Amino acid sequence: MVDKTYCMSNYLAFRFISNVNINFYSGLKHSKYTILDKPYKVRLAVDVDKILKEKIMQFYEPKKTALFLSGGIDSAILASYLPKDTKAYTFKCIGENAIDETSQAKKYTHRYALSHEIIEMHWSDFEKLTPKLLESNQVPFHSIEVQLLKAALHAKTQGIEKIIIGDSADYIFGGMDKLLSKDWNFEEFVTRYNYIEPSKALKDYVDVTSEYEKYKLPNNKIDFIKLINNDMLVESLSSYANAFKLAGISFLDPYSYMQVEHLDLQRIRAGEPKYLLRELFKKAYPDINIPTKIPMPRAMDAWLKDYKTSRPEFIKDCTVGMSGDQKWLCWCLEQFLNMYEKIDNK
């Protein structure tokens, strides 16, 4: 089925199109990550420790396995299970006021004698690799895919064939503390969650509220935990799967095999997001303070500072007041439409 308006609206709202049967143009086909069955229910930090160790040992191949290491606790914990001299890559965006996690990540690699390498990310990388990803994915995508693809391709030149990541920890272990901060009303959550409200960017759009209906609860509430562990996790892991597939790299996210038996919202709302992982972090790094959670760094605010849409599908000046990450969604959608419109009209 082809429905360009539906696809544009869903991409801007969710950063991906969840319905794989609906495409922008005829002849295109896109996919999404299939969530793994979660055979491991965890209740204590010791349960998590056991599964991480088991999964990493099964996946790890000497001199062919590396870690994508940020400054956060999730990948830092994974670093503590890896043998000495294992390669660990940290991304550094080069742009004004860009977040720099490299010094924090270096503390982790120093503790466990890992081979640390910093991979710089420039806007020129996005200009170069975006067409390759658009051709492969056949849909516009989350900006992290460019960084993942560049890093994976670089790792391959060093003989790396497998990458370990810790992406799903935030979703499974209660790291999305702002989304978990209260019991949301349905409409309130929809407004909070949409990355870009389609009606504010597109001349022709569809209301995406129906996409949330499957999570609606009695009394106008929403099962936000289920949404985070399904659609939100799928969107994120799809980005990794897309980039690694194009690079020809296999990957492991050992957290993705787990499910917390009873997520303690009271602890999270009291200031202990990912309380089970915080316990493991303190065990692995007793003299390092738990860092503040930040998303994968990207300098979109600087890189797209002056960007405005030019295609007729967009409302004039819709990017005024948008964050850099929101502007990326518009920019990437424009690149996609420019590329495939030419093909579709041939």
Side-chain angles (χ1 to χ4, degrees):
M1 179 179 176
V2 173
D3 191 333
K4 177 183 170 184
T5 304
Y6 169 89
C7 289
M8 289 193 300
S9 300
N10 271 253
Y11 171 67
L12 292 183
F14 308 122
R15 299 192 299 198
F16 87 132
I17 297 117
S18 61
N19 191 331
V20 297
N21 296 313
I22 303 180
N23 291 281
F24 278 89
Y25 298 111
S26 59
L28 298 186
K29 185 177 182 180
H30 66 99
S31 61
K32 65 179 181 180
Y33 186 82
T34 302
I35 293 182
L36 301 168
D37 291 332
K38 293 186 171 50
Y40 303 105
K41 290 189 176 181
V42 295
R43 188 169 54 88
L44 303 172
V46 67
D47 302 328
V48 181
D49 172 68
K50 179 181 177 182
I51 296 160
L52 291 178
K53 192 177 299 182
E54 174 186 315
K55 290 298 176 184
I56 290 172
M57 285 181 64
Q58 290 173 352
F59 182 79
Y60 189 88
E61 190 172 351
K63 298 184 179 180
K64 294 183 179 181
T65 308
L67 172 70
F68 279 179
L69 178 68
S70 71
I73 71 172
D74 309 328
S75 56
I77 291 168
L78 301 181
S80 71
Y81 296 93
L82 298 176
K84 178 182 177 182
D85 295 325
T86 296
K87 198 77 180 179
Y89 300 101
T90 300
F91 307 165
K92 181 179 180 179
C93 289
I94 306 302
E96 185 180 357
N97 297 320
I99 295 169
D100 186 354
E101 298 184 279
T102 57
S103 60
Q104 184 71 18
K106 193 166 191 64
K107 296 176 185 178
Y108 309 146
T109 57
H110 180 73
R111 173 62 54 85
Y112 291 100
L114 305 184
S115 175
H116 192 209
E117 183 173 347
I118 296 165
I119 301 178
E120 291 187 351
M121 302 293 172
H122 301 262
W123 176 245
S124 58
D125 296 316
F126 288 78
E127 293 177 315
K128 175 184 177 182
L129 296 177
T130 291
K132 299 179 188 297
L133 283 160
L134 291 176
E135 184 178 358
S136 175
N137 296 354
Q138 301 189 9
V139 284
F141 54 86
H142 188 319
S143 60
I144 64 171
E145 290 192 28
V146 170
Q147 298 179 77
L148 295 170
L149 178 58
K150 179 180 179 179
L153 290 172
H154 174 70
K156 279 193 74 173
T157 67
Q158 298 180 332
I160 299 299
E161 299 175 1
K162 298 180 173 185
I163 299 288
I164 298 172
I165 64 169
D167 176 66
S168 62
D170 272 330
Y171 310 98
I172 294 168
F173 290 91
M176 298 295 171
D177 49 326
K178 291 180 180 178
L179 292 179
L180 297 171
S181 62
K182 63 179 182 177
D183 297 331
W184 297 82
N185 289 329
F186 183 80
E187 291 82 7
E188 184 184 26
F189 186 87
V190 171
T191 301
R192 167 65 180 79
Y193 188 82
N194 284 348
Y195 290 97
I196 297 176
E197 166 53 46
S199 64
K200 295 182 178 180
L202 299 170
K203 293 176 183 176
D204 295 319
Y205 63 90
V206 297
D207 186 349
V208 298
T209 304
S210 60
E211 304 290 333
Y212 295 89
E213 291 289 342
K214 57 191 172 184
Y215 301 112
K216 194 168 186 178
L217 297 173
N219 303 317
N220 200 39
K221 296 295 183 181
I222 186 168
D223 191 342
F224 49 87
I225 295 178
K226 189 175 181 181
L227 184 150
I228 290 170
N229 279 274
N230 286 276
D231 286 5
M232 196 172 186
L233 178 57
V234 168
E235 181 264 319
S236 184
L237 284 175
S238 292
S239 295
Y240 284 82
N242 289 339
F244 288 139
K245 178 182 177 182
L246 183 54
I249 290 272
S250 60
F251 76 101
L252 168 73
D253 185 338
Y255 294 115
S256 67
Y257 291 87
M258 292 177 252
Q259 179 181 4
V260 180
E261 203 165 313
H262 297 291
L263 195 63
D264 192 336
L265 289 177
Q266 188 172 350
R267 288 185 69 176
I268 293 168
R269 291 169 181 174
E272 280 192 278
K274 295 190 286 193
Y275 49 90
L276 293 179
L277 300 188
R278 290 165 77 94
E279 187 177 331
L280 287 182
F281 181 87
K282 290 309 296 181
K283 180 181 176 183
Y285 305 94
D287 58 341
I288 299 178
N289 292 330
I290 293 176
T292 302
K293 175 190 177 314
I294 55 174
M296 181 182 288
R298 45 195 181 269
M300 289 303 164
D301 285 338
W303 292 334
L304 294 176
K305 179 181 178 182
D306 300 318
Y307 164 72
K308 290 185 179 180
T309 57
S310 58
R311 286 188 59 92
E313 292 88 351
F314 292 90
I315 297 170
K316 181 176 171 52
D317 294 330
C318 66
T319 56
V320 174
M322 284 187 181
S323 68
D325 287 333
Q326 289 174 314
K327 289 179 180 179
W328 160 266
L329 296 175
C330 296
W331 184 86
C332 188
L333 178 55
E334 282 206 298
Q335 305 310 304
F336 174 84
L337 295 173
N338 288 339
M339 173 184 286
Y340 282 99
E341 188 176 74
K342 293 176 183 177
I343 297 172
D344 192 55
N345 289 337
K346 282 184 178 179

